[in-house]
Amino acid sequence: MTVSPARETILRLFHQSPDGYVSGVRLSEVLGVSRNAVWKQIGQLRQLGYLIEAIPSRGYRLRETPDLPLAEELRIGLNTRVVGRDLHYLKETDSTNRQAYALGEAGAGEGVVVIADRQTAGKGRMGRIWVSPPAVNLYLSVLLRPPLPPHAAPQLTFVSTVAVSRAIAAVSGLQPIHKWPNDVLVDGCKVAGLLNEMSAEVDRIRFVVLGIGVNLNMTADQFPADLRMPATSLRLAGGVAVSRAAFARELLQQLDKLYADYLNFGLAPILAEWESRCDLIGRQVEVDEAGSGLVRGRVSGIDRDGALLLELADGSTARILAGDVKVVAT
Ligand code: BTN
């Protein structure tokens, strides 16, 4: 959906109004359009689900806001420098990662965000599907152009994972746990997943797409029965519905800050925060290395490129770059 500056201005005026009313005259003055044109804009907002009353001699009043992560809604109060410079909201798309990647290839600038109400072919890690029903969750992708070599790209997974955790803690009060490489868990169940994709030359990243899916308000019956690991939503875990727009705003702000910190100060402080929420360190695990076999060992840490370090039975250390981790003993 193309962003409408008029829609954004109307929503902003409603948000700023102390008694919730904004007169038709004021709207037409601020927008510089006729009362009739204002009426049409109000009609479009109503079609999106905004409940707007028209009271003779007082004006319009916004009585209910739908829980839509619309670009115009997100921009109100969004305090970021890079992430979210340009926001694209799609009611339905195949995959926000695919759309953001296409924008990257077409030369779009750093900070573009694609966000969808529903994905018909949401992509998970290792060729899996990311279940993406409408109206309940957050599906978004951020395009970044970090001035870094391609081998540094996996580091951005830690940047986005920490941003997701901070947003979960800030909005819901829940304390998430990280599972290498890119899962976020609450009460032992997966609540968010991240999929980063890259376009690069031999020695430099052209762009990366940070894909983030967070189960915000999904109900138990919306999860497929055959999930690889148990999953939950913030609503199921915390007992309260989470506003998609408020969560998306918080997430974009955290990501913006962490991305700036990463470029200025490096990965170490972010990795330390990531590790503080990771309960794998010191545990005996089995890693299914994306089709190339099983490795068993004790997790000794994460190296600076984001690889999982495993102490093997023979005393050597293995660096694991991709795979699924299962705890086998403490
Ligand atoms: C995983 O397997 O854990 C990664 C899931 C990533 C899902 C998100 S939803 C938004 C973005 N668009 C996609 O197609 N995938 C990512």
Side-chain angles (χ1 to χ4, degrees):
M1 182 186 286
T2 43
V3 177
S4 153
R7 215 160 34 214
E8 186 174 333
T9 305
I10 296 175
L11 291 175
R12 221 176 262 282
L13 288 170
F14 277 130
H15 280 280
Q16 286 164 358
S17 157
D19 61 358
Y21 284 96
V22 183
S23 72
V25 175
R26 174 141 169 74
L27 284 171
S28 82
E29 270 171 17
V30 176
L31 294 173
V33 298
S34 68
R35 300 278 298 274
N36 201 31
V38 167
W39 175 252
K40 275 196 192 139
Q41 292 290 341
I42 295 284
Q44 283 180 15
L45 282 167
R46 284 180 174 146
Q47 269 177 10
L48 286 166
Y50 287 84
L51 191 60
I52 301 171
E53 281 177 340
I55 314 275
S57 78
R58 294 215 58 186
Y60 297 103
R61 185 160 79 112
L62 177 59
R63 285 207 35 212
E64 253 177 62
T65 301
D67 184 26
L68 281 177
L70 280 186
E72 294 88 331
E73 191 68 61
L74 289 190
R75 271 221 284 255
I76 299 173
L78 181 69
N79 184 11
T80 60
R81 287 168 55 112
V82 172
V83 176
R85 264 183 192 154
D86 193 8
L87 287 159
H88 297 254
Y89 169 79
L90 303 165
K91 180 144 185 55
E92 178 178 303
T93 188
D94 47 3
S95 150
T96 55
N97 264 32
R98 219 168 266 165
Q99 298 303 323
Y101 202 96
L103 287 171
E105 286 190 316
E110 165 161 90
V112 171
V113 174
V114 180
I115 185 159
D117 182 48
R118 166 175 194 235
Q119 297 184 116
T120 52
K123 296 203 272 179
R125 272 176 66 232
M126 297 159 85
R128 299 188 182 112
I129 298 233
W130 186 255
V131 179
S132 311
V136 281
N137 294 336
L138 188 66
Y139 318 111
L140 69 76
S141 301
V142 183
L143 177 75
L144 294 176
R145 295 186 182 274
L148 298 170
H151 71 80
Q155 298 187 347
L156 287 162
T157 302
F158 297 95
V159 174
S160 40
T161 307
V162 170
V164 169
S165 290
R166 284 189 184 179
I168 291 177
V171 169
S172 71
L174 295 164
Q175 295 304 326
I177 292 290
H178 299 151
K179 182 157 169 266
W180 184 88
N182 64 348
D183 292 341
V184 180
L185 277 58
V186 169
D187 297 340
C189 298
K190 180 157 166 167
V191 78
L194 296 99
L195 178 68
N196 294 352
E197 298 184 274
M198 166 173 70
S199 165
E201 288 165 16
V202 175
D203 55 355
R204 78 173 183 108
I205 293 175
R206 229 178 264 123
F207 62 82
V208 286
V209 169
L210 308 184
I212 304 177
V214 190
N215 298 335
L216 295 181
N217 298 312
M218 223 164 153
T219 52
D221 57 336
Q222 287 178 303
F223 289 98
D226 56 349
L227 282 177
R228 182 179 55 92
M229 62 183 291
T232 191
S233 68
L234 294 186
R235 182 182 187 162
L236 285 169
V240 256
V242 173
S243 151
R244 291 191 295 168
F247 187 90
R249 213 178 285 123
E250 180 67 31
L251 175 60
L252 297 181
Q253 287 174 176
Q254 293 293 354
L255 196 54
D256 189 69
K257 182 171 181 333
L258 282 157
Y259 180 55
D261 287 352
Y262 168 68
L263 293 180
N264 289 328
F265 311 116
L267 185 67
I270 295 169
L271 202 51
E273 186 171 337
W274 185 90
E275 281 182 334
S276 72
R277 286 194 184 272
C278 174
D279 61 356
L280 284 180
I281 314 289
R283 298 181 89 174
Q284 202 64 31
V285 299
E286 192 174 83
V287 186
D288 184 349
E289 275 197 288
S292 50
L294 288 179
V295 193
R296 273 180 169 242
R298 199 185 63 84
V299 177
S300 56
I302 309 288
D303 76 6
R304 61 177 308 276
D305 290 327
L308 185 74
L309 299 175
L310 280 193
E311 224 175 78
L312 307 183
D314 65 4
S316 64
T317 298
R319 283 182 83 237
I320 314 285
L321 293 166
D324 285 329
V325 181
K326 198 166 85 190
V327 174
V328 287
T330 46

